Amino acid sequence: MISYARPNQTLINHLTGVAARAESFAGEFKNADWGRWLGMLHDLGKYNPDWQQYLAHNCDFDIGENAEDIGNLHPNHSAAGAIYATEKAKKVGLLAAYCIAGHHTGLPDYDHVIGTGGALSTRLQQRKDLSDALRGNPPDEVLSLKLPVSPPCGKNIQSEYCHLWIRMLFSCLVDADRLDSEVASTPEQSSRRIAYLPLPDLAAKFDVYMRHMQEQAPDTMVNRQRQVVLEMCYNKAVREPGFFSLTVPTGGGKTLSSIAFALNHALRHGKRRVIMAIPYTSIIEQTAQTYKGIFGDDNVLEHHCNLDPDKQTEWARLAAENWDAPLVVTTNVQLFESLFSAHPSSCRRIHNLAESVIILDEAQMLPPEYLKPILSGLRALVEDFGITVLLCTATQPALCGRIGNQFNGLEKVTEIIDNPTLLATSLKRVQIILPSDKDCRSEWADIALRLQQYEQVLCIVNTRRNCRELHALMPAGTVQLSALMCGEERSEIIQDIKNKLKNGTPVRVISTQLVESGVDIDFPVVFRALAGFDSIAQAAGRCNREGKLGSLGQVFAFNPPKSAPPGLLRKGEDACKEIIRNHHDVELSPEFYSLYFKTFFNKVNDFDQPQFEELLCRNAFEAKFQFRTFARNFKLIDNQAQQGIIVQYKHSIDLIGQLRRCGPERWLLRKLQRYTVNVPKKFCKKLLDRGMVEELFGIYIQSDPGLYCPNIGLLDDSVSWNEEMFMA
């Protein structure tokens, strides 16, 4: 009797097809035999005659990722292979069992935790699942496949990296399973996964672009220094893979120089792709657009939550599933939550990190309370998976040596710039002007009067409330920017600001810190509320950026009426004040950044908020990992505490109408993301209770026309917002 994986594919063909793909994927990190073993065993449970009978009577049923969670609609098929693996190889089999048991529902916890699904330890005791599968007489090529012999996890199964090695194997299996199923079930979709240019061709395109740029660029001090940075990146690209840092002041050409290093390093050392991770979507949109102009749209994958579906090709949607593109531009959230996820669709892409170059742009934005797992993960990628990591920033954080007297950071980080201090001096374009009395606070009315002395000025404050309060005191025409505006309006406003600056038109802007990193604007004068020293330096990067003033731009740091909100923002402000009390002058230099971050890290209480040590390291010797619990804890953005509201702004009104008529189609929801404002859930509930927001298909939609005001954002004077609502 022939067993089937699906109506149009025999089970043995599926197993061998998945095994071949997983073998190829895992071969990138020298564990091809593990990939093949997992592929051959993952659907062993489908030999169960009951499963085959179920398939015969439900041939139109789509067995998706969550099928096993939907009321046991069909016999369990993932436990049999996991049990068989442990019976064949005990501890080695246990490592494989996580992948096999979770290939549809996600990597499980070893021990049961309420709310995380079935524990692996429990599922391995259900031996009937294996005996039922064996009743279907699986062929010898499945049951007699040789055990893997390649050493797991860099030969040290007890290391803190073992959990990540299992994730990488899991990624290989899940991607192989999905791709093989796609060929059998939707071959037309599989055929649309287009080939893309190889890295040597992309490097050639980049060289042509840079030669053109250099020919057209005016001979200025800033452009000469950018050329020096670029040449250093080319020269250091030949160094052996590992950790690198690129410490370049804002406006020094990091975006292009970092990709120059990554491409040439990848060619020199046989890397497969370049992945750039960026803190904010506002920076991604600008950076991805630059790269697409150089390499072509089909060679750059832009993966974040604010994509406009009208501008996203079908190839991009497919490639986003597994990052199978030569150049990926994504967010820190996508990168690290994928790396530590337990969910199949998120984990699916991470095997494609192997033998790549990862650029961490604005590395100072890595969240301190997650640094322990993040730095451990980066070390594992470099040591065991052939990855080079480039930490790219103007304000290099102190990630080497002892961090906050709590744990060891990175070692052997090669700085690309020969003399970062000299470069900072050469690119000095601003003067930092500190308040004369560092403990005396200024009132917003006084700040407003000072700002009105300048025709082109940017003022950056710490919270949304501060932004709104100061903006209310400014003359008509003053621009406000905050995350209480939807992404579509913010993009329009930033473009308008750029146009006015370029044309010499008066423009005054009050903004939260969303403009500090990667937004390419160039004001002659910038005001910055006291905050972390890295924030002040980033604000300075929006001042005299191109060095065209003929003199130093002015950056005024001021003491706002109230301290920053409690938490990391307050700790950054306190660390900054501690430093400037002991220094009359502040220079934007690597030495100051190092001093600041050491002071700041000493104030951080916990670098392991998701309990990395407890859940993934403590019981590594026994291979007992709490994958799902850790993934639940590891949320760089707390989506559980926030609720998105789709606001009425320009085209969104028509889109909301389509949502009412057609329902929540995927393309429509992705398009509506551009018109979403996130607020704390408790405030969303207040708006819902007042009838200002309505729930439609589980989505929250603005219903009161006065709730969103262009040029201001989400507002309602009848609701008592508190400081949490107005944090940037």
Side-chain angles (χ1 to χ4, degrees):
M1 179 179 174
I2 299 176
S3 296
Y4 287 86
R6 53 189 46 80
N8 59 343
Q9 186 184 34
T10 65
L11 183 50
I12 190 59
N13 282 347
H14 176 60
L15 295 181
T16 54
V18 173
R21 283 184 168 85
E23 180 179 35
S24 175
F25 295 156
E28 294 292 341
F29 48 92
K30 301 179 176 59
N31 289 123
D33 52 349
W34 283 87
R36 184 163 189 79
W37 199 45
L38 290 173
M40 291 299 287
L41 290 180
H42 80 287
D43 273 354
L44 178 62
K46 288 185 178 180
Y47 280 102
N48 180 351
D50 294 339
W51 204 98
Q52 289 297 311
Q53 184 179 17
Y54 167 83
L55 181 64
H57 289 88
N58 298 273
C59 61
D60 293 328
F61 183 75
D62 179 20
I63 302 166
E65 277 186 9
N66 299 312
E68 292 181 13
D69 289 336
I70 309 175
N72 295 318
L73 293 176
H74 61 78
N76 180 293
H77 76 273
S78 61
I83 297 168
Y84 184 78
T86 57
E87 292 192 356
K88 290 281 287 186
K90 295 185 179 178
K91 183 180 286 189
V92 170
L94 181 57
L95 301 178
Y98 285 102
C99 303
I100 297 170
H103 75 272
H104 278 297
T105 57
L107 285 166
D109 286 339
Y110 182 81
D111 292 316
H112 179 66
V113 174
I114 295 175
T116 62
L120 182 64
S121 57
T122 301
R123 297 181 70 182
L124 292 178
Q125 295 173 11
Q126 298 169 354
R127 199 182 182 287
K128 184 178 183 298
D129 288 336
L130 175 58
S131 60
D132 286 341
L134 296 179
R135 285 193 292 116
N137 298 315
D140 286 345
E141 62 185 298
V142 176
L143 299 179
S144 300
L145 186 67
K146 290 183 179 179
L147 297 178
V149 296
S150 62
C153 195
K155 300 182 180 180
N156 184 6
I157 198 172
Q158 303 173 32
S159 81
E160 69 179 65
Y161 306 155
C162 188
H163 72 95
L164 187 57
W165 178 80
I166 294 173
R167 291 180 201 278
M168 293 292 271
L169 284 179
F170 180 65
S171 173
C172 294
L173 175 61
V174 170
D175 196 24
D177 187 29
R178 304 301 187 263
L179 289 173
D180 187 79
S181 298
E182 180 180 272
V183 171
S185 301
T186 55
E188 67 285 353
Q189 178 171 299
S190 180
S191 66
R192 289 194 291 267
R193 292 183 181 273
I194 66 172
Y196 38 71
L197 289 179
L199 283 179
D201 290 356
L202 297 185
K205 279 180 171 284
F206 182 79
D207 291 341
V208 170
Y209 175 84
M210 292 306 298
R211 283 196 297 270
H212 177 73
M213 286 282 291
Q214 291 158 2
E215 291 169 358
Q216 300 296 318
D219 184 18
T220 64
M221 175 273 295
V222 171
N223 283 331
R224 288 193 295 272
Q225 291 302 318
R226 288 170 177 166
Q227 182 61 30
V228 170
V229 171
L230 181 65
E231 289 174 358
M232 288 183 184
C233 285
Y234 278 124
N235 293 336
K236 294 291 176 63
V238 302
R239 298 285 185 91
E240 288 301 307
F243 283 103
F244 290 81
S245 58
L246 179 60
T247 307
V248 178
T250 52
K254 292 190 302 295
T255 299
L256 294 176
S257 294
S258 61
I259 202 69
F261 167 85
L263 285 172
N264 284 274
H265 185 79
L267 293 180
R268 175 83 178 194
H269 298 287
K271 306 302 179 188
R272 300 187 299 155
R273 59 182 48 85
V274 174
I275 298 167
M276 174 174 276
I278 298 175
Y280 301 124
T281 54
S282 59
I283 315 175
I284 283 186
E285 292 166 353
Q286 176 177 290
T287 302
Q289 193 60 38
T290 298
Y291 290 161
K292 287 177 180 179
I294 300 171
F295 304 111
D297 288 358
D298 285 344
N299 294 303
V300 179
L301 170 62
E302 185 181 357
H303 187 193
H304 58 84
C305 65
N306 283 344
L307 290 170
D308 183 343
D310 282 352
K311 300 176 182 177
Q312 189 184 20
T313 66
E314 184 175 12
W315 166 82
R317 289 192 293 273
L318 293 174
E321 296 173 354
N322 61 2
W323 286 357
D324 188 12
L327 181 56
V328 179
V329 184
T330 188
T331 60
N332 285 349
V333 172
Q334 289 283 358
L335 174 63
F336 290 112
E337 289 194 5
S338 294
L339 194 64
F340 293 110
S341 177
H343 199 274
S345 61
S346 296
C347 287
R348 177 178 177 180
R349 59 185 69 106
I350 66 171
H351 74 89
N352 276 323
L353 297 177
E355 295 296 335
S356 68
V357 181
I358 297 177
I359 304 171
L360 292 179
D361 193 29
E362 306 296 351
Q364 80 282 354
M365 298 298 297
L366 293 175
E369 65 272 39
Y370 291 81
L371 271 183
K372 191 165 189 176
I374 284 175
L375 295 186
S376 175
L378 291 175
R379 284 195 301 267
L381 293 176
V382 168
E383 293 178 23
D384 290 344
F385 300 100
I387 291 169
T388 285
V389 173
L390 174 61
L391 304 168
C392 186
T393 176
T395 56
Q396 199 66 248
L399 298 179
C400 298
R402 197 74 178 161
I403 295 182
N405 296 318
Q406 292 190 36
F407 72 103
N408 291 325
L410 305 177
E411 298 179 356
K412 299 178 181 179
V413 179
T414 300
E415 173 57 53
I416 290 176
I417 303 302
D418 293 334
N419 191 331
T421 300
L422 178 60
L423 179 65
T425 302
S426 301
L427 278 172
K428 182 175 179 179
R429 289 150 290 167
V430 302
Q431 177 187 11
I432 307 295
I433 303 167
L434 300 172
S436 55
D437 185 344
K438 301 174 182 62
D439 295 316
C440 181
R441 296 195 173 276
S442 300
E443 296 301 321
W444 289 127
D446 296 330
I447 299 300
L449 288 174
R450 292 177 65 187
L451 293 174
Q452 292 173 54
Q453 298 174 21
Y454 305 95
E455 289 194 339
Q456 291 187 335
V457 62
L458 167 67
C459 182
I460 303 174
V461 295
N462 289 327
T463 70
R464 298 169 179 175
R465 179 183 292 278
N466 293 165
C467 185
R468 191 158 286 181
E469 289 173 344
L470 179 56
H471 181 262
L473 299 172
M474 295 294 292
T478 302
V479 177
Q480 180 180 184
L481 268 175
S482 85
L484 287 176
M485 296 172 171
C486 66
E488 184 72 13
E489 184 178 12
R490 292 201 307 268
S491 295
E492 293 173 0
I493 291 174
I494 289 171
Q495 186 57 53
D496 184 58
I497 292 170
K498 290 181 180 180
N499 293 338
K500 288 179 177 178
L501 290 170
K502 182 179 180 180
N503 297 329
T505 306
V507 56
R508 300 185 181 103
V509 179
I510 314 298
S511 177
T512 61
Q513 54 262 50
L514 67 85
V515 300
E516 283 184 346
S517 296
V519 179
D520 188 8
I521 51 179
D522 190 355
F523 281 85
V525 179
V526 171
F527 280 66
R528 182 59 170 95
L530 277 179
F533 189 67
D534 57 329
S535 294
I536 293 175
Q538 289 293 334
R542 312 312 121 195
C543 181
N544 196 20
R545 187 177 180 86
E546 296 296 326
K548 295 179 179 179
L549 291 180
S551 60
L552 294 178
Q554 294 180 304
V555 177
F556 295 95
F558 65 91
N559 233 343
K562 293 182 180 179
S563 295
L568 293 175
L569 282 175
R570 177 78 61 83
K571 292 180 188 298
E573 179 183 334
D574 291 345
C576 183
K577 287 182 176 179
E578 183 176 323
I579 291 173
I580 63 178
R581 283 193 184 98
N582 300 317
H583 295 82
H584 297 293
D585 297 313
V586 170
E587 293 292 335
L588 301 180
S589 68
E591 290 77 15
F592 251 92
Y593 303 144
S594 179
L595 176 62
Y596 164 74
F597 276 106
K598 287 180 180 177
T599 305
F600 172 64
F601 285 158
N602 282 333
K603 296 180 181 297
V604 175
N605 300 322
D606 186 6
F607 293 93
D608 186 14
Q609 184 172 300
Q611 298 179 283
F612 169 71
E613 192 74 35
E614 172 72 22
L615 298 173
L616 296 180
C617 296
R618 179 163 296 178
N619 295 316
F621 177 76
E622 298 175 305
K624 296 180 178 179
F625 303 102
Q626 297 296 97
F627 284 111
R628 203 165 291 187
T629 299
F630 181 79
R632 185 178 60 182
N633 293 350
F634 192 94
K635 297 295 180 186
L636 298 188
I637 297 177
D638 187 4
N639 293 322
Q640 300 302 313
Q642 296 287 313
Q643 181 62 61
I645 297 174
I646 297 173
V647 299
Q648 296 177 11
Y649 179 75
K650 293 187 176 180
H651 301 303
S652 74
I653 296 174
D654 292 335
L655 295 172
I656 291 170
Q658 291 185 61
L659 178 64
R660 295 184 190 280
R661 293 190 301 272
C662 306
E665 297 185 21
R666 184 180 178 189
W667 69 270
L668 183 57
L669 294 181
R670 289 182 66 82
K671 197 170 184 65
L672 282 166
Q673 285 180 332
R674 293 287 296 164
Y675 301 92
T676 299
V677 175
N678 289 318
V679 301
K681 283 189 174 181
K682 59 183 178 182
F683 295 109
C684 182
K685 185 177 185 305
K686 287 184 179 180
L687 293 173
L688 190 65
D689 292 341
R690 293 171 182 264
M692 307 181 81
V693 166
E694 63 175 310
E695 185 178 357
L696 186 65
F697 304 110
I699 302 161
Y700 292 87
I701 308 290
Q702 174 188 347
S703 55
D704 185 329
L707 182 60
Y708 190 87
C709 179
N711 302 314
I712 295 177
L714 197 72
L715 78 162
D716 172 43
D717 293 336
S718 67
V719 178
S720 299
W721 308 109
N722 71 6
E723 194 71 18
E724 181 185 0
M725 171 64 190
F726 287 94
M727 288 181 64

